[in-house]
Amino acid sequence: MPAGFLLEFAVKDLTAPTARRSTLVTAGAVGFAAAVAVAGFGFVRGVERGERAAILTDPLVFGLFADDRSPVDLGFGGSIGPDDAGRVLDLLRGEARAGTVSGVYPYRRALLSTAQVDLSGRTVAVGPDPDPLPKSRPVVWGRWPAAPADAGVVLTPAGLFRLGLKEDARPEELVVYVRRVPLRVPVLGVTEKSLPNPAVSFLITEDYYLDLHRRAHPDPLVKSARSGPIPDEWLDDGRLRPPVRDGVVATFPPAQFAIKLRSQGGLVLAVEALTPPGDDPRRLKVSDWKERFQRVRQAAAAAKYPAPDDFAAPRFDEPLPPGATAAPPEAGVYNGLAAYLTESDDLIPAAAAMGKYEMANGDALRVDTRSTDQLTKVGQQAARYRTAMGWVVGVTAGVIVVLVWFLFVLRAEQQVAEVGMLKAMGMRRLGTLAVVQGLMVGGVGGAAGAAAGLPVTAPLLEWYTPGAPAGPINWDLAAAAALAATAAGAAACWTANLRASRLSPAAAIRFAT
Amino acid sequence: MTAPPVFQLRDLTHRYDGTRRRPGAVALDGVSVDLHPGVTGVLGLSGSGKTTLLNILGLLDDARLTRGQVTYHPAAGEPIDYAALGRRGRASLRQAEFGFVLQSALLLPHLTCRENVAVPLALTGVGRAVRLARADELLEAADRADPTPAGGTPRRRLVDLRHARPREVSGGERQRVAVVRAIAHDPRVVFADEPFSNLDPRNTGEILDLFRAWLGGGLGYGRPDRGRTLLLVSHTVATTIRFAAGRCLVVRDGRVARNPDGPPLAPDDDALGPTP
């Protein structure tokens, strides 16, 4: 059969007044499946993309932090040698893709205050001011910590009881599980009587001030991580202050956003903002800080303030300005290393490499796994979503393929006599005709459905995560869905017509009569 | 007759499909006959094997013959033994040499009448514009071949129905279009199986007029007669005998009861014999 006649025949057969409705239903069903696939998988992809992007923009989880956490050196020591940062940097650059490791910097952690922690490791209270309890709860053994230069816990009689120890026990250290990580904590003393809050069984010194080498405070959220000499006016009592000036000052006085880095009860580095005098004196949560900083950035943009990338000081990975010198690392001061990466995919191999590094004193670095855990969690969640969406799309597509196949079978059976007559006239390639018709129905339906599914992704993501960016248009998904729909349509139509096309002309004509 | 036959059947035996334990019934049993150009009526009671014979001769049945041989003699070229034909060869022969008119018109519902007529031309590779123009010519020629009799009720001309779809025309008109479709590519043989069993005498006459015009080359084919052959199966015995000028093959219980090369039948002959 000539190709032109075959195409004309196929189109007229599909669009004849008696066939139009079933053609529309068939194409519509195929399109619905394609739309579900595009919207569903686009949604899952958008969620994963957003979660991964959040890892790179959230200062809590962006960097890799590793330190020497021997009980003796808890918060002290200086086991990181001057050359360790360079070696770890080389190590990481060997593991990660080129250019994705911004830098590795030593830091020193120093105690700021104590925290009250219960037996499960949960921080009950934390504050810069040492607990007033020492005045009312004298120790019967040992001493209270002398912040900021002391580390360890003070047990209460209730704490001894809960730990299964006798009242007169005097343990020198405890193993405390914080986020499932065992931590050996020195015992500084035992109080005479229990604390007023029965849930609190001991105190632990757990608040650190971090002094990053080169006095630079990485801040990936605002991309203002700086290194090298920092202008004096940027510093406020040793802490970085965002360079808010001119028109922005009227709205947000600089003191409002003084930032410091500290660890929280979970022994993990955190970022916190201080409120200005006269404002609410309570400490801000990180989320509040983010929100406020976003407002600063918006105000800065409105006031035509230079974008963060235009700030004068170089970033970590940039060379120092001519004439500027960085303070050389001091030996015996630093007890941690912070690494910064620009690609979330490299966090896990970099963390593994960092954990294998052996310091000069023979100890291995202990890597904070928060960022990698977060990344793994995102990956696992995305995999679960993909699997669930695969089932949804698979079941939908399966039902629709059966429906479409059934509609094609009905059409084939209705036309079997005419097909018999066509064969009597010498027509061959009826299988090709069926494939062409399936391609047309599947192609048109699939393309329309895929196109309809594309704009659905953004509202779905907005519903799931309000404010999340929609991301790029998933053309590849749409193309794949349209192709799959086309192939499914062709296969369904071909198989549905197999029986009719295999009948002899006489049998086909007899079948109808 | 000196002219070579169109079909040569020798000891043709055909059983319906069955199982090893229960073989199918015998449809044709030892049929040996020569069929020559022109009109041959095929007569017989229901179930006598007429349609089976036509299906075998027209290559409509893919089942192998149980026994015997069928040879087709084309106007030019070597005789063709049906046993040697593959699926493709059978389709090619049907397309080039045969035309079919059945009890039901079986027009394609999604095509107009002229497009239906043009289908055999399309299958032989004729371009769309040419084949549609040829279809219009054929419809007009068919109207000329069958003018409305003086004093008769005017009927719709086929050419006026060329843009209509089959469901928009009457049964008689559909069948006339089916006849034009069957002869559109000027086949050598037309197999007509009960073409007017559902039609009234007037429509029957019109169908016969169309066949007559085709047999006489009066539809403007512009090529010499290659020995046009019409095998006409019908229960309308007298009409068939009259149209075939008495040359009829009578089939009874799968056997040849009367050879068409014998003395011509008369319309009032008891051609089918006693009813069992």
Side-chain angles (χ1 to χ4, degrees):
Chain A
M1 180 169 25
F5 177 60
L6 187 143
L7 284 175
E8 179 191 350
F9 190 95
V11 169
K12 290 199 167 171
D13 187 30
L14 290 173
T15 57
T18 49
R20 209 170 287 157
R21 192 173 296 172
S22 74
T23 302
L24 277 176
V25 169
T26 312
V30 171
F32 178 74
V36 169
V38 170
F41 284 118
F43 167 70
V44 172
R45 184 183 281 184
V47 168
E48 183 177 12
R49 185 172 48 233
E51 301 271 352
R52 282 179 174 271
I55 289 176
L56 288 183
T57 55
D58 190 337
L60 278 178
V61 293
F62 167 68
L64 280 174
F65 297 92
D67 55 27
D68 171 12
R69 295 191 59 83
S70 69
V72 177
D73 290 337
L74 185 68
F76 302 97
S79 54
I80 304 293
D83 300 330
D84 285 329
R87 291 191 191 120
V88 170
L89 179 62
D90 291 341
L91 185 67
L92 294 189
R93 286 188 169 157
E95 292 292 327
R97 283 170 292 172
T100 62
V101 182
S102 294
V104 176
Y105 307 95
Y107 60 83
R108 177 174 65 85
R109 305 190 322 156
L111 281 169
L112 275 184
S113 64
T114 59
Q116 295 180 13
V117 182
D118 67 14
L119 271 179
S120 68
R122 185 167 56 93
T123 303
V124 177
V126 63
D129 183 25
D131 194 282
L133 285 174
K135 297 171 187 169
S136 59
R137 297 288 188 280
V139 293
V140 293
W141 171 80
R143 55 183 171 76
W144 280 97
D150 219 341
V153 299
V154 177
L155 288 171
T156 65
L160 286 173
F161 176 76
R162 292 184 186 189
L163 289 167
L165 300 173
K166 292 182 179 176
E167 196 175 322
D168 57 351
R170 300 295 181 259
E172 292 192 354
E173 66 176 26
L174 295 174
V175 177
V176 179
Y177 286 85
V178 179
R179 298 179 193 276
R180 300 182 191 171
V181 177
L183 177 65
R184 295 165 67 198
V185 180
V187 176
L188 297 178
V190 176
T191 60
E192 182 182 12
K193 48 188 177 180
S194 293
L195 301 176
N197 182 350
V200 178
S201 301
F202 55 86
L203 309 175
I204 182 170
T205 54
E206 264 304 322
D207 195 2
Y208 301 100
Y209 172 76
L210 283 110
D211 180 12
L212 287 171
H213 171 53
R214 300 172 82 178
R215 299 174 66 81
H217 295 244
D219 184 0
L221 181 71
V222 292
K223 296 181 180 173
S224 58
R226 299 288 145 181
S227 64
I230 293 173
D232 288 343
E233 66 269 23
W234 284 26
L235 296 174
D236 177 14
D237 194 18
R239 291 170 293 189
L240 178 63
R241 187 181 66 199
V244 182
R245 296 183 293 211
D246 304 332
V248 184
V249 171
T251 310
F252 299 104
Q256 191 174 356
F257 298 100
I259 300 169
K260 70 171 185 174
L261 303 179
R262 55 178 288 273
S263 74
Q264 289 184 321
L267 310 175
V268 176
L269 184 70
V271 181
E272 190 164 294
L274 298 177
T275 54
D279 200 341
D280 183 358
R282 70 183 169 85
R283 288 185 173 199
L284 296 174
K285 295 176 186 171
V286 174
S287 57
D288 297 334
W289 174 79
K290 285 183 190 175
E291 188 182 324
R292 287 195 173 210
F293 215 105
Q294 290 295 337
R295 285 163 55 197
V296 171
R297 293 196 68 189
Q298 288 167 3
K304 296 187 169 61
Y305 188 77
D309 286 346
D310 297 334
F311 289 165
R315 288 198 302 241
F316 281 128
D317 50 352
E318 293 171 342
L320 294 177
T325 54
E330 301 168 47
V333 170
Y334 302 103
N335 52 12
L337 284 173
Y340 295 91
L341 291 91
T342 57
E343 295 292 336
S344 60
D345 287 346
D346 288 332
L347 280 176
I348 290 178
M354 211 166 175
K356 290 176 189 165
Y357 181 71
E358 193 175 285
M359 293 175 293
N361 64 0
D363 290 343
L365 276 177
R366 186 153 130 172
V367 183
D368 184 327
T369 57
R370 179 178 290 202
S371 54
T372 53
D373 287 349
Q374 184 86 355
L375 195 64
T376 305
K377 194 174 157 191
V378 168
Q380 289 169 341
Q381 178 182 309
R384 281 197 298 273
Y385 281 5
R386 264 195 300 274
T387 304
M389 195 53 69
W391 276 103
V392 170
V393 171
V395 169
T396 306
V399 169
I400 284 174
V401 163
V402 170
L403 171 73
V404 165
W405 180 83
F406 189 65
L407 286 171
F408 278 133
V409 166
L410 284 181
R411 283 173 59 96
E413 294 204 349
Q414 281 173 350
Q415 296 179 330
V416 72
E418 284 80 7
V419 167
M421 187 43 120
L422 279 171
K423 294 178 84 165
M425 287 190 279
M427 183 163 173
R428 287 181 285 120
R429 296 168 65 188
L430 285 164
T432 309
L433 177 65
V435 169
V436 168
Q437 289 192 319
L439 287 174
M440 286 174 171
V441 172
V444 171
L454 281 175
V456 177
T457 304
L460 274 179
L461 282 172
E462 177 63 26
W463 162 76
Y464 185 75
T465 313
I473 298 174
N474 297 307
W475 294 114
D476 57 334
L477 277 181
L483 278 177
T486 307
C493 192
W494 181 68
T495 53
N497 281 275
L498 264 183
R499 186 177 172 223
S501 60
R502 283 179 178 168
L503 287 174
S504 70
I509 292 163
R510 228 178 7 246
F511 181 87
T513 54
Chain B
M1 289 211 178
T2 54
V6 178
F7 291 106
Q8 222 169 16
L9 287 69
R10 293 293 176 266
D11 193 22
L12 175 61
T13 300
H14 185 67
R15 281 179 183 273
Y16 292 122
D17 289 340
T19 61
R20 182 174 290 182
R21 282 189 170 185
R22 185 177 290 181
V26 175
L28 295 172
D29 188 6
V31 173
S32 295
V33 67
D34 290 347
L35 299 173
H36 293 274
V39 183
T40 300
V42 182
L43 303 173
L45 296 171
S46 294
S48 59
K50 307 183 300 293
T51 299
T52 303
L53 180 63
L54 242 64
N55 286 343
I56 289 172
L57 295 180
L59 295 168
L60 297 182
D61 200 336
D62 289 341
R64 293 267 164 201
L65 296 178
T66 309
R67 196 175 68 227
Q69 186 181 31
V70 178
T71 307
Y72 172 69
H73 294 265
E78 295 297 313
I80 297 168
D81 181 358
Y82 274 16
L85 286 175
R87 184 179 283 261
R88 180 176 292 234
R90 297 161 71 89
S92 297
L93 191 59
R94 284 200 304 267
Q95 178 185 304
E97 300 279 304
F98 299 164
F100 298 90
V101 183
L102 306 179
Q103 184 175 348
S104 176
L106 294 181
L107 297 179
L108 296 166
H110 58 280
L111 299 183
T112 61
C113 288
R114 76 196 294 229
E115 287 168 341
N116 266 287
V117 169
V119 167
L121 300 171
L123 293 177
T124 56
V126 179
R128 178 178 164 77
V130 174
R131 68 175 181 256
L132 291 179
R134 177 71 185 130
D136 288 346
E137 288 172 17
L138 281 168
L139 290 170
E140 284 180 21
D143 286 328
R144 282 196 304 273
D146 184 33
T148 302
T153 310
R155 55 164 176 70
R156 294 200 290 182
R157 299 186 332 135
L158 290 182
V159 73
D160 293 335
L161 302 175
R162 62 186 187 275
H163 296 302
R165 293 182 193 278
R167 63 193 172 91
E168 296 163 349
V169 303
S170 71
E173 289 163 341
R174 267 201 295 273
Q175 196 65 324
R176 283 161 60 207
V177 172
V179 172
V180 178
R181 177 180 66 180
I183 59 182
H185 58 305
D186 192 16
R188 177 125 184 274
V189 184
V190 168
F191 298 90
D193 190 359
E194 307 278 4
F196 31 75
S197 65
N198 295 330
L199 303 181
D200 57 26
R202 177 177 169 179
N203 275 306
T204 300
E206 289 171 353
I207 298 295
L208 292 174
D209 286 344
L210 278 175
F211 281 138
R212 195 173 290 116
W214 166 68
L215 287 162
L219 294 179
Y221 295 111
R223 64 178 179 183
D225 183 7
R226 300 180 294 148
R228 295 187 182 100
T229 304
L230 174 66
L231 294 181
L232 177 61
V233 173
S234 175
H235 286 296
T236 317
V237 177
T239 305
T240 304
I241 292 173
R242 199 174 295 118
F243 188 71
R247 192 169 71 176
C248 294
L249 167 68
V250 179
V251 184
R252 186 176 303 146
D253 297 331
R255 297 168 185 270
V256 175
R258 190 180 185 287
N259 198 305
D261 290 337
L265 275 174
D268 52 353
D269 282 351
D270 181 15
L272 304 185
T275 305

